[in-house]
Amino acid sequence: METAYVLHYVRSDDEHAEDAKLIGVYSSPSRAEAAAKRLRQAPGFCNHPDGFTIDPYPVDEDHWREGFGG
């Protein structure tokens, strides 16, 4: 089974509540970590460098099956 590694950035503060960004999808954990390392130096990210997360996702599979209210 193939796995993709998704790099997100989430920052919480009073002005923006929760500011989430999908940074990218990578073929390996090391490529995702390299991207996070590069971006930790970029404007905005450098002020909040701990907001990066990397999550593995199997490809060709549903990851949200519950639906949503609305």
Side-chain angles (χ1 to χ4, degrees), residues 23-60:
I23 302 299
V25 180
Y26 301 89
S27 60
S28 70
S30 61
R31 288 179 185 250
E33 184 54 49
K37 184 177 180 180
R38 285 191 304 274
L39 288 171
R40 281 187 180 98
Q41 309 304 311
F45 296 123
C46 65
N47 298 326
H48 305 276
D50 297 327
F52 293 96
T53 60
I54 300 169
D55 297 303
Y57 282 91
V59 297
D60 298 330

Side-chain angles (χ1 to χ4, degrees):
M1 175 178 293
E2 255 186 281
T3 301
Y5 298 86
V6 178
L7 176 61
H8 281 102
Y9 179 82
V10 177
R11 175 178 65 122
S12 296
D13 65 25
D14 292 336
E15 181 182 349
H16 299 100
E18 188 172 270
D19 183 18
K21 294 172 177 29
L22 170 62
I23 302 299
V25 180
Y26 301 89
S27 60
S28 70
S30 61
R31 288 179 185 250
E33 184 54 49
K37 184 177 180 180
R38 285 191 304 274
L39 288 171
R40 281 187 180 98
Q41 309 304 311
F45 296 123
C46 65
N47 298 326
H48 305 276
D50 297 327
F52 293 96
T53 60
I54 300 169
D55 297 303
Y57 282 91
V59 297
D60 298 330
E61 190 174 302
D62 297 334
H63 297 281
W64 188 283
R65 298 181 185 112
E66 295 83 26
F68 61 94

